[in-house]
Amino acid sequence: MASAAAALTPRGLLMNQPLNVAPAATDHPVVSTPGTRTHVAPRLLRRRLHDATDYASWAEAAKALDRLSGRERWRQRDISALYDYANLRERVDHLRALRAKGDNQGLVFAIEEGVHGNLGGMGKPILYSKARFGTKQLIEDYVDCVAEALRHIERLPRREMSDAAKLDLFRRASHCYGRSALMFSAGGALVYFHFGVAKALLEQRLLPNVLSGSSAGAITVALLGTHTEAELDALFAAGNLRVGDEWAPNWFERSTGLRRVFDADAFDATFERLIPDLTFREAFERSGRHISISVSPCERHHSPRLLNALTAPHVLIRSAVQASCSVPGLFEPVQLMARDAQGRTVPYLRSRWIDGVFAADLPAKQLARLYGTNHYIVSMINPFLLPTFRDHKLQGTGLQPLARSAKSAARSALKTADVYLGKYLPTSSLGVVNKVAHDLLSQDYVGDISIAPRRRVFSPLRLLSPYTNDEIDELMRVGERQTWPRIEMIRICTQISRTLEEILERVDRGAIEALT
């Protein structure tokens, strides 16, 4: 009865209630009463947010708007029906008490007991949509407490905990908690949006170590996986990251809006300029990043491949990118190349491969199997999916149920057709087209955190055409700006896994040094 009465209370009175108000009542930020000063300030702050040229300026304006609108008060209150706040509060208080008493053995037991992803529903995307900056302070406190507890255990002297015991604890904790992956979709010349997303994450040191890409996404992960962070800082300028030759429209192109199309030679020159001549294994040894590139087979009975340092360590990354960017009808299928034990460049698998979008644009299941990932960030620029692309974890209404039903029906029809085509026309072009369509519809195109352009419709004529320097700058800025509102969500949701990865790297390095 108390909860029902509280739910009927006017929203303006709820924020003045004590902390034991009904959970559902605190799920809506309170908007300040408009006055002369507060009526003007929000408009100015929104303009500052819109005009921000870096993340620090954007974050400052976002925090100010949260304070003004009442969202900051929502952040500071534990109570909400959106997550198990009581469980998280108990965990935070318990960890702090153990640290205060110096009970290291109790701290180790608590970490073994409770390091799990999305504890109490704290990773729900809706919790990060209420305020412009961050989420509930309790969630941030919990993540900070766990990360600091892990670092404290790492620093324990050997008389309290041996190196072997630490290593075992951190490995089990990492395995249970999981890790994040960033997946870049296909998207033609919209690849510069991916570059902006990567730039924003690199500047905040939030770029995951597990990366995947197909087509345009393959170019992006090849750049990120074959260069050190110092090299990437110098690379992220329009002139350095141009795909194709430098271009400016002539009078005909300016007057008609038509553009020339990339040719294969322009792509090859770009790959030679931007991507070092490295295999997947050599790239991992250089950058420490696990990059994966999707390619699709030409032959009907071959399976798609996810190429990386585990599945194809000797394959040359340039050839993998060329294959993943090979759009059927525009570019010839590509023979993958590898480096053998004598250092010679030789053909790999003796098969030809095409654009990876047809088989594994966003290969979440394969990454989970290979790298233990369970949290996915998606940079989506696939022009055929953008018009209807939504994060289903935030938006489950509207036409989405109808779209899912239509997709399921189409997938079933294609699967049925595949039986007859495989029986009567096993090598026909129609059979190949049916298989490609089935592969496309079988994929899942959303992640736990999704980043996409606000503009959802792009001219097909622009997808395989060159861009001017100003257009490249603008599309990269769009990628950065679309990433900024998700930075804190990424930071909070990945902090524990990033801490575990850093600790494991230090512990492993220490063990190797001790042996040598």
Side-chain angles (χ1 to χ4, degrees):
M1 292 295 293
S3 296
L8 295 174
T9 306
R11 189 175 68 175
L13 300 178
L14 287 172
M15 297 306 292
N16 297 320
Q17 299 299 315
L19 286 179
N20 62 353
V21 297
T26 62
D27 290 340
H28 303 285
V30 173
V31 180
S32 301
T33 303
T36 304
R37 297 180 63 186
T38 57
H39 181 67
V40 175
R43 185 170 67 249
L44 296 176
L45 287 171
R46 283 193 291 269
R47 172 56 58 185
R48 193 179 301 168
L49 195 76
H50 180 270
D51 294 341
T53 58
D54 55 61
Y55 179 65
S57 302
W58 184 92
E60 182 181 358
K63 291 176 185 177
L65 278 168
D66 282 346
R67 289 192 295 270
L68 200 61
S69 66
R71 291 180 172 89
E72 178 60 25
R73 281 185 285 171
W74 176 86
R75 291 184 65 246
Q76 298 301 325
R77 300 170 74 90
D78 291 359
I79 296 177
S80 171
L82 298 175
Y83 73 121
D84 189 352
Y85 62 90
N87 187 11
L88 256 66
R89 171 53 63 191
E90 181 182 1
R91 295 288 303 171
V92 169
D93 293 344
H94 183 53
L95 290 171
R96 286 174 173 171
L98 291 170
R99 290 289 307 278
K101 291 189 299 184
D103 185 356
N104 294 328
Q105 295 305 315
L107 190 65
V108 170
F109 183 84
I111 289 297
E112 290 183 320
E113 178 187 41
V115 179
H116 298 284
N118 198 24
L119 180 68
M122 67 179 187
K124 291 179 181 176
I126 194 171
L127 283 166
Y128 297 83
S129 66
K130 298 296 184 180
R132 293 179 183 270
F133 188 90
T135 184
K136 289 286 190 182
Q137 186 61 48
L138 174 60
I139 295 175
E140 299 181 26
D141 290 344
Y142 171 75
V143 168
D144 289 340
C145 277
V146 172
E148 183 51 41
L150 291 168
R151 287 189 286 267
H152 177 76
I153 293 172
E154 180 193 9
R155 295 190 295 266
L156 289 178
R158 287 189 177 91
R159 65 177 180 274
E160 291 194 49
M161 191 172 188
S162 67
D163 291 343
K166 290 180 185 178
L167 185 59
D168 176 65
L169 169 66
F170 295 137
R171 281 180 174 167
R172 284 188 290 106
S174 180
H175 181 75
C176 291
Y177 192 84
R179 64 199 306 194
S180 297
L182 172 56
M183 301 185 292
F184 295 96
S185 77
L190 299 180
V191 64
Y192 303 111
F193 179 88
H194 282 337
F195 293 166
V197 172
K199 182 174 183 287
L201 293 176
L202 275 167
E203 287 176 349
Q204 298 301 312
R205 296 298 181 253
L206 292 175
L207 187 74
N209 282 330
V210 180
L211 307 168
S212 76
S214 66
S215 195
I219 300 174
T220 309
V221 300
L223 276 172
L224 298 173
T226 57
H227 296 87
T228 64
E229 290 199 0
E231 292 169 336
L232 288 172
D233 290 339
L235 267 177
F236 277 104
N240 290 330
L241 291 180
R242 168 174 295 284
V243 175
D245 299 327
E246 189 164 353
W247 173 81
N250 56 37
W251 69 268
F252 177 77
E253 291 166 330
R254 285 194 300 270
S255 59
T256 63
L258 298 175
R259 299 197 176 198
R260 67 197 72 177
V261 176
F262 284 122
D263 58 31
D265 292 338
F267 271 109
D268 292 342
T270 297
F271 299 152
E272 290 181 9
R273 174 169 54 86
L274 295 179
I275 304 171
D277 185 28
L278 298 174
T279 65
F280 280 97
R281 176 177 289 176
E282 292 166 347
F284 172 72
E285 292 170 351
R286 181 174 186 177
S287 69
R289 295 190 179 91
H290 303 278
I291 64 169
S292 298
I293 293 175
S294 302
V295 294
S296 304
C298 282
E299 292 81 2
R300 174 180 170 78
H301 295 292
H302 282 217
S303 300
R305 294 292 180 108
L306 187 65
L307 306 171
N308 52 52
L310 295 178
T311 62
H314 306 300
V315 169
L316 293 167
I317 292 178
R318 278 185 194 167
S319 73
V321 175
Q322 288 172 327
S324 194
C325 291
S326 181
V327 180
L330 293 177
F331 304 112
E332 290 293 323
V334 172
Q335 165 68 63
L336 293 173
M337 305 301 291
R339 184 171 290 136
D340 66 11
Q342 287 73 42
R344 298 172 301 189
T345 300
V346 296
Y348 182 80
L349 292 180
R350 302 287 180 180
S351 299
R352 295 186 304 162
W353 304 85
I354 58 172
D355 199 328
V357 68
F358 297 110
D361 198 13
L362 304 176
K365 291 181 180 179
Q366 295 95 315
L367 294 177
R369 185 173 66 252
L370 292 168
Y371 298 110
T373 56
N374 58 357
H375 180 261
Y376 301 96
I377 306 164
V378 172
S379 180
M380 170 56 68
I381 58 170
N382 190 317
F384 303 106
L385 299 173
L386 277 178
T388 58
F389 179 75
R390 296 291 186 274
D391 188 342
H392 72 284
K393 293 170 184 173
L394 278 177
Q395 303 181 20
T397 59
L399 296 177
Q400 285 199 0
L402 180 61
R404 284 195 296 268
S405 298
K407 181 178 177 181
S408 178
R411 190 163 52 232
S412 299
L414 288 168
K415 191 171 184 180
T416 301
D418 194 47
V419 173
Y420 294 99
L421 289 170
K423 182 177 181 180
Y424 299 109
L425 299 169
T427 60
S428 70
S429 298
L430 185 60
V432 174
V433 170
N434 180 78
K435 182 178 183 300
V436 168
H438 182 270
D439 288 341
L440 285 171
L441 287 172
S442 298
Q443 299 182 54
D444 191 2
Y445 292 98
V446 294
D448 297 285
I449 303 174
S450 299
I451 306 170
R454 292 180 66 87
R455 177 186 172 191
R456 296 302 176 92
V457 179
F458 293 87
S459 169
L461 300 176
R462 300 288 301 275
L463 299 178
L464 292 171
S465 299
Y467 279 50
T468 66
N469 282 339
D470 289 342
E471 290 170 336
I472 293 173
D473 285 342
E474 177 59 25
L475 199 47
M476 285 185 63
R477 275 195 297 268
V478 170
E480 290 183 78
R481 294 188 60 81
Q482 289 298 99
T483 306
W484 291 342
R486 295 157 180 82
I487 286 289
E488 291 310 305
M489 184 179 183
I490 294 171
R491 191 191 310 278
I492 295 165
C493 291
T494 65
Q495 182 173 340
I496 294 175
S497 62
R498 285 185 290 109
T499 301
L500 283 166
E501 286 186 16
E502 292 166 4
I503 291 174
L504 280 170
E505 184 180 348
R506 288 193 293 267
V507 172
D508 285 339
R509 186 167 59 245
I512 292 172
E513 290 173 355
L515 288 174
T516 57

